Amino acid sequence: MDGFVGNQQDFYKEVQSLSSEKESLLEAIINIASVIQESSATTEEVASLTIGQASTANVLFKMARELNNKVGTISAETAHIKTNLITNTQKKIGFIFDIDDPFWDPTIKEARKTARAFNFYIEFFAPKTRENAVSDMLTSLRGFIDNEFDAIVISPVDSPEIRATLTEATDKGIKIIFINSALDGIEYESLIETNGYECGRSAARTAKQMMNNQGEVAVGLWYDIKISSIEQRGIGFIDELENNSNIKVHRYDVHSNPSESEVARYIEAIRKEHPNVKYIYATNGNWGRALGEYVKKYNPEFEVMCVDFGSEIAEYIKSGNIKAAIAQRNFSWGTMSLELLEDVFQGKQVIKYTDTGTYEVNINNISIYERRI
């Protein structure tokens, strides 16, 4: 009997040892997953740095080329022992964003640096609210046209009045660079953006991973204001999940301005109509921040993912109130726009379209990406 009891005790110890080894194995697998995510984040940041360095190199090249041209002009003139006053007229460029939002801060920062390099005069404008976006944007456009600006870099709100005013601008020789999205039928030099549809598909792939490719998700689509890139982020997200996943998608019409009452209405509708929704996708940073704040206050039984990444969204990710953000390389748009315009002013052909891509930010890689904001 004593031998039997001893064997049972030894067997129990072996089982305990196996259980301990299982926990160690699970912890190792989790650590491997984290390392893989950090490695992926590092790769994406290298891509971002490459874009930034390429832009800087292009600026330096153009400065050197311009200096060489001026030195050549001086040499030719002095050879004939004559001097002429050569007036270098400073080009005026207006930037118009679709809304006054921290999202545009990196764009403005880099544009200011590049403008100094090219000796451009630049002004910035953004509507304070979505409700007055069209009228405010029209006022700004009219000011740039009347003051004979040489170019306008614009993230447009789509309306017949804005289309008509941009057409008037191009008729007067003002060069147009679109950022974030373009308007059909308007003559422009180049479009620099994050492809909205592909951005939405990237968000959907992140959702599939977070949701283990099953469950229900809600997405809000704007009904009051049309901005093509933001609209496409919703469409790409829906298409990817409906065609390539087991996840059920529920669409909701939402106001572009996520006031506290609008957020509450949206959440209440989801709970009433689709109580099994565990994730909500926001197509822009403003809605992402609003939903993150809701999670922070009420700790509901759903998680949030969004497009756009900035300092506030970073804090929501670190506190667990936003699960993931699909970030854009908007820091590069200001520099790229001015680089292109430098070539346009010299009569050179430029690239018509540039997609600067996206990358995912989550709790495992945020320490790498938040250095950029």
Side-chain angles (χ1 to χ4, degrees):
M1 178 62 72
D2 290 341
F4 176 75
V5 171
N7 288 336
Q8 289 294 100
Q9 288 176 334
D10 290 341
F11 178 72
Y12 177 71
K13 289 178 182 178
E14 290 294 330
V15 171
Q16 279 189 317
S17 176
L18 282 173
S19 178
S20 176
E21 291 296 329
K22 181 193 74 172
E23 294 298 325
S24 298
L25 178 60
L26 287 174
E27 185 177 351
I29 291 172
I30 292 171
N31 289 336
I32 290 170
S34 297
V35 169
I36 290 172
Q37 284 196 321
E38 288 186 9
S39 175
S40 176
T42 302
T43 302
E44 291 288 357
E45 182 61 3
V46 168
S48 295
L49 290 171
T50 300
I51 290 174
Q53 289 174 346
S55 294
T56 301
N58 284 334
V59 171
L60 291 173
F61 173 75
K62 289 180 172 67
M63 289 175 66
R65 184 180 60 199
E66 184 66 16
L67 179 60
N68 180 66
N69 291 339
K70 289 179 178 178
V71 169
T73 300
I74 293 171
S75 176
E77 292 298 329
T78 54
H80 296 86
I81 320 177
K82 292 181 180 179
T83 60
N84 291 319
L85 177 63
I86 300 175
T87 302
N88 185 15
T89 305
Q90 191 176 40
K91 298 292 186 181
K92 297 190 296 184
I93 300 164
F95 279 77
I96 303 177
F97 305 122
D98 56 272
I99 191 68
D100 186 6
D101 189 274
F103 171 80
W104 294 110
D105 290 347
T107 311
I108 294 171
K109 178 182 175 182
E110 296 302 317
R112 290 190 191 280
K113 291 193 292 187
T114 307
R116 287 195 294 271
F118 288 142
N119 192 32
F120 290 154
Y121 171 80
I122 56 175
E123 287 186 14
F124 300 95
F125 175 80
K128 297 296 183 183
T129 65
R130 293 288 184 194
E131 290 80 3
N132 298 321
V134 172
S135 60
D136 289 349
M137 190 172 286
L138 283 171
T139 300
S140 178
L141 275 170
R142 174 54 53 198
F144 289 145
I145 293 171
D146 292 344
N147 287 288
E148 299 181 343
F149 271 57
D150 299 283
I152 296 173
V153 179
I154 182 171
S155 170
V157 174
D158 195 353
S159 81
E161 297 86 358
I162 288 174
R163 286 173 180 268
T165 307
L166 284 171
T167 298
E168 179 186 345
T170 59
D171 288 344
K172 292 186 175 182
I174 297 175
K175 308 301 182 184
I176 304 295
I177 298 279
F178 282 122
I179 54 176
N180 203 32
S181 59
L183 298 181
D184 293 336
I186 305 299
E187 182 182 346
Y188 65 93
E189 305 303 321
S190 187
L191 166 62
I192 305 168
E193 67 163 2
T194 300
N195 183 285
Y197 187 82
E198 291 302 322
C199 177
R201 292 187 65 208
S202 294
R205 287 190 286 270
T206 295
K208 284 191 283 186
Q209 188 176 35
M210 292 192 304
M211 299 174 66
N212 202 21
N213 199 27
Q214 59 187 350
E216 299 180 30
V217 62
V219 53
L221 303 176
W222 293 3
Y223 65 80
D224 58 324
I225 288 180
K226 180 179 175 61
I227 297 178
S228 175
S229 61
I230 293 178
E231 185 175 66
Q232 287 297 310
R233 295 171 198 169
I235 295 172
F237 182 82
I238 293 166
D239 285 353
E240 176 67 22
L241 291 185
E242 288 185 342
N243 297 325
N244 300 304
S245 82
N246 299 319
I247 298 171
K248 192 170 184 179
V249 188
H250 303 294
R251 316 178 196 198
Y252 285 87
D253 290 333
V254 297
H255 196 278
S256 60
N257 178 31
S259 63
E260 191 170 343
S261 60
E262 175 67 8
V263 173
R265 181 199 67 78
Y266 180 35
I267 301 302
E268 182 60 28
I270 294 172
R271 282 176 171 159
K272 184 177 180 180
E273 298 167 12
H274 303 290
N276 293 324
V277 164
K278 299 301 181 185
Y279 280 84
I280 298 179
Y281 167 57
T283 57
N284 78 319
N286 204 16
W287 261 101
R289 292 190 295 271
L291 289 170
E293 186 62 23
Y294 186 94
V295 173
K296 180 180 177 181
K297 283 184 178 180
Y298 302 107
N299 192 28
E301 294 184 358
F302 63 77
E303 295 190 284
V304 174
M305 61 175 299
C306 69
V307 175
D308 293 344
F309 177 63
S311 57
E312 291 178 273
I313 288 178
E315 292 305 315
Y316 285 125
I317 291 174
K318 288 191 283 188
S319 62
N321 298 311
I322 290 180
K323 190 71 172 178
I326 306 302
Q328 306 180 68
R329 294 184 174 92
N330 51 307
F331 63 88
S332 66
W333 296 353
T335 296
M336 286 185 177
S337 298
L338 298 182
E339 285 181 55
L340 291 167
L341 286 172
E342 170 70 3
D343 283 340
V344 167
F345 293 146
Q346 295 187 23
K348 299 178 180 179
Q349 286 196 335
V350 297
I351 297 172
K352 197 72 173 178
Y353 178 75
T354 303
D355 175 13
T356 51
T358 62
Y359 54 96
E360 178 189 341
V361 183
N362 56 48
I363 192 62
N364 294 315
N365 60 30
I366 192 170
S367 60
I368 295 172
Y369 291 135
E370 67 178 339
R371 301 169 192 167
R372 186 168 290 283
I373 56 178

